[in-house]
């Protein structure tokens, strides 16, 4: 089987998890890496057995490599737009880590640059390729919970944690130089993890009927701004044109979990882990016939994304098929995030 050759720009924590997913795929190979950190480059090289000729200390050199089929951009949010545009100019197929950009205008510019070019592009929402999502879509389409009414979706973790001083437990202070707490670097709960419940809301709402996402209203916004000027806790309600509503929340200080509840006229579906279930995922069905559906899955959720997107490259597609993240969905995701951030 032909293997799609991947290159990674930026070797942070997400890139590491992504790279580990290649062991579960047959149609893809981690072929090249690039980092400005010699230590990270050496660690990846040794761990994933990358040839010296394909270990680059600058990003431009990786983009100049003609042996690559697709590049995964895993840099901080604020650098996504710049390196997506550079990748397009080099004719590279692209997977960019979420959020694709830090605002709608940047994403619109990317779409304009991709026009009339035979380049694959997608935003890396790995949960969309997990068997759990395919099952949820199937259950909804088969009216197991009746007609869709609303949903609730959250993503919240206490990234600061707590420390003890003289026996007193205190909250750690955010480091404004770290990307999560730096506004210029695209920090804050909404951009970093709020993009997940927004993207899932778009997916579920689209199962009802086609509608104009531009008319989606972001209401009842509640935000807690931290000491560094970024939102630490954010909540809102999305009202779609087809009267479907979604209550969403994202937090960097509260353990909101990863739960999603999808409510219909005859019951509801509950996902305890909406974003990254491993080994075994669980869908709780509450209604007339209450039951739990268990789905066995890989230890690495990124493997599904790598496998499906690699097949897209082999078939010369420009974007993934449903329920993968299309460029228009990314545009609407960014449009809604902009409204939430205001």
């Amino acid at each position: 089987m032909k293997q799609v050759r991947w290159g990674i720009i930026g070797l942070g924590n997400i890139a590491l998890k992504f790279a580990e997913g290649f062991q579960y795929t047959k149609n893809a190979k981690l072929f090249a890496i690039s980092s400005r950190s010699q230590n990270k480059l050496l660690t990846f090289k040794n761990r994933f057995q990358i040839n010296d000729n394909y270990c680059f200390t600058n990003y431009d050199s990786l983009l100049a490599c003609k042996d690559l089929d697709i590049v995964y951009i895993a840099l901080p949010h604020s650098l996504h737009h710049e390196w997506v545009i550079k990748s397009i100019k080099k004719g590279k197929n692209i997977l960019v880590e979420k959020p694709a950009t830090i605002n709608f205008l940047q994403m619109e510019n990317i779409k304009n640059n991709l026009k009339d070019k035979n380049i694959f592009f997608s935003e890396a929402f790995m949960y969309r390729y997990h068997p759990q999502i395919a099952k949820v879509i199937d259950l909804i389409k088969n009216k197991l919970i009746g007609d869709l009414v609303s949903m609730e979706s959250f993503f919240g973790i206490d990234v600061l944690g707590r420390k003890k001083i003289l026996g007193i437990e205190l909250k750690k202070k955010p480091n404004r130089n770290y990307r999560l707490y730096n506004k210029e670097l695209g920090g804050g709960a909404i951009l970093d993890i709020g993009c997940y419940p927004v993207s899932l809301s778009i997916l579920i709402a689209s199962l009802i009927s086609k509608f104009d996402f531009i008319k989606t209203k972001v209401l009842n916004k509640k935000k807690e701004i931290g000491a560094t000027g970024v939102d630490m806790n954010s909540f809102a309600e999305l009202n779609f044109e087809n009267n479907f509503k979604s209550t969403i929340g994202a937090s960097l200080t509260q353990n909101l979990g990863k739960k999603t509840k999808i409510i219909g006229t005859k019951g509801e579906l509950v996902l305890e882990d909406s974003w990254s279930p491993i080994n075994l995922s669980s869908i709780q069905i509450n209604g007339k016939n209450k039951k739990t559906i268990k789905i066995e899955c890989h230890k690495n959720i990124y493997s599904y994304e790598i496998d499906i997107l690699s097949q897209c490259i082999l078939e010369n597609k420009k974007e993934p098929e449903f329920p993968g993240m299309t460029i228009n969905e990314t545009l609407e995701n960014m449009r809604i995030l902009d409204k939430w951030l205001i």
Side-chain angles (χ1 to χ4, degrees), residues 195-230:
C195 54
Y196 279 96
V198 172
S199 68
L200 182 56
S201 299
I202 289 173
L203 173 63
I204 301 303
S206 71
L207 296 175
I208 304 173
S209 62
K210 291 185 178 180
F211 55 93
D212 190 348
F213 279 106
I214 296 176
K215 297 180 180 179
T216 301
K217 297 178 181 178
V218 184
L219 306 173
N220 300 321
K221 294 184 288 185
K222 296 178 182 178
K223 288 186 288 185
E224 179 187 328
I225 306 300
T228 63
V230 300

Side-chain angles (χ1 to χ4, degrees), residues 171-213:
K171 199 81 168 177
K172 294 178 184 177
K173 291 184 178 180
N175 179 357
R176 67 176 61 249
N177 294 319
Y178 181 49
R179 65 168 188 84
L180 274 183
Y181 314 120
N182 188 314
K183 197 168 186 177
E184 298 302 315
L185 298 181
I190 290 175
L191 278 179
D192 195 65
I193 54 181
C195 54
Y196 279 96
V198 172
S199 68
L200 182 56
S201 299
I202 289 173
L203 173 63
I204 301 303
S206 71
L207 296 175
I208 304 173
S209 62
K210 291 185 178 180
F211 55 93
D212 190 348
F213 279 106

Side-chain angles (χ1 to χ4, degrees), residues 3-260:
Q3 289 188 313
V4 173
R5 294 165 294 187
W6 287 74
I8 300 179
I9 292 180
L11 303 181
N13 292 332
I14 293 298
L16 177 59
K17 294 177 182 177
F18 185 87
E20 290 171 345
F22 282 91
Q23 65 183 298
Y24 300 101
T25 66
K26 293 181 179 180
N27 64 355
K29 177 181 176 62
L30 178 54
F31 193 77
I33 52 176
S34 179
S35 177
R36 291 169 179 167
S37 166
Q38 289 281 3
N39 288 337
K40 289 181 180 179
L41 201 65
L42 183 60
T43 298
F44 266 71
K45 172 186 173 295
N46 292 335
R47 181 162 183 175
F48 301 107
Q49 299 180 323
I50 310 297
N51 188 296
D52 284 335
N53 295 330
Y54 298 104
C55 296
F56 303 102
T57 55
N58 66 77
Y59 310 146
D60 286 301
S61 295
L62 184 141
L63 291 182
C65 177
K66 295 181 180 180
D67 298 328
L68 289 179
D69 297 308
I70 183 170
V71 60
Y72 168 50
I73 299 171
L75 297 166
H77 311 333
S78 57
L79 297 176
H80 288 181
H81 176 261
E82 174 188 354
W83 288 97
V84 167
I85 295 298
K86 287 183 177 181
S87 298
I88 293 171
K89 289 179 179 178
K90 288 292 184 179
K92 295 297 185 188
N93 294 311
I94 302 158
L95 175 66
V96 60
E97 187 50 48
K98 59 77 204 164
T101 58
I102 59 173
N103 57 55
F104 176 80
L105 289 178
Q106 285 186 346
M107 191 56 228
E108 191 174 45
N109 183 48
I110 287 172
K111 184 178 181 181
N112 290 336
N113 273 268
L114 283 167
K115 189 177 180 180
D116 300 326
K117 291 184 174 63
N118 188 30
I119 292 176
F120 176 90
F121 175 88
S122 190
E123 184 179 14
F125 280 107
M126 74 295 188
Y127 77 90
R128 286 216 174 186
Y129 305 95
H130 195 284
Q132 175 176 257
I133 288 298
K135 188 62 178 178
V136 167
I137 292 169
D138 181 64
L139 294 172
I140 291 173
K141 285 186 173 180
N142 283 292
K143 300 289 186 179
L144 194 72
I145 58 170
D147 296 325
L148 291 175
V149 176
S150 63
M151 65 181 281
E152 302 168 2
S153 189
F154 302 96
F155 196 171
I157 49 178
D158 185 0
V159 294
L160 287 174
R162 295 179 180 274
K163 61 181 180 179
K164 282 190 176 182
I165 299 179
L166 299 176
I168 301 174
E169 201 173 63
L170 300 173
K171 199 81 168 177
K172 294 178 184 177
K173 291 184 178 180
N175 179 357
R176 67 176 61 249
N177 294 319
Y178 181 49
R179 65 168 188 84
L180 274 183
Y181 314 120
N182 188 314
K183 197 168 186 177
E184 298 302 315
L185 298 181
I190 290 175
L191 278 179
D192 195 65
I193 54 181
C195 54
Y196 279 96
V198 172
S199 68
L200 182 56
S201 299
I202 289 173
L203 173 63
I204 301 303
S206 71
L207 296 175
I208 304 173
S209 62
K210 291 185 178 180
F211 55 93
D212 190 348
F213 279 106
I214 296 176
K215 297 180 180 179
T216 301
K217 297 178 181 178
V218 184
L219 306 173
N220 300 321
K221 294 184 288 185
K222 296 178 182 178
K223 288 186 288 185
E224 179 187 328
I225 306 300
T228 63
V230 300
D231 67 293
M232 302 297 283
N233 299 290
S234 293
F235 300 86
E237 181 180 277
L238 306 182
N239 283 16
F240 294 95
E241 189 185 10
N242 56 12
N243 295 319
F244 183 73
K245 297 180 180 180
S246 180
T247 300
I248 56 175
S251 176
L252 298 176
T253 65
Q254 298 178 33
N255 291 313
L256 300 178
K258 305 174 184 179
K259 190 172 183 177
T260 294

Side-chain angles (χ1 to χ4, degrees), residues 281-331:
S281 72
S282 174
I283 304 172
Q284 179 69 44
I285 302 172
N286 298 326
K288 187 176 181 180
N289 297 311
K290 189 173 182 179
K291 64 177 180 178
T292 300
I293 297 175
K294 302 287 186 180
I295 302 171
E296 292 187 5
C297 47
H298 292 320
K299 292 181 180 179
N300 185 292
I301 187 174
Y302 298 91
S303 62
Y304 296 105
E305 180 179 49
I306 295 169
D307 186 62
I308 293 172
L309 298 190
S310 294
Q311 192 59 38
C312 288
I313 300 302
L314 292 173
E315 295 174 4
N316 200 32
K317 293 178 180 176
K318 295 177 71 173
E319 62 181 5
E321 294 179 352
F322 182 84
M325 199 78 176
T326 66
I327 193 167
N328 284 333
E329 283 185 291
T330 290
L331 272 169

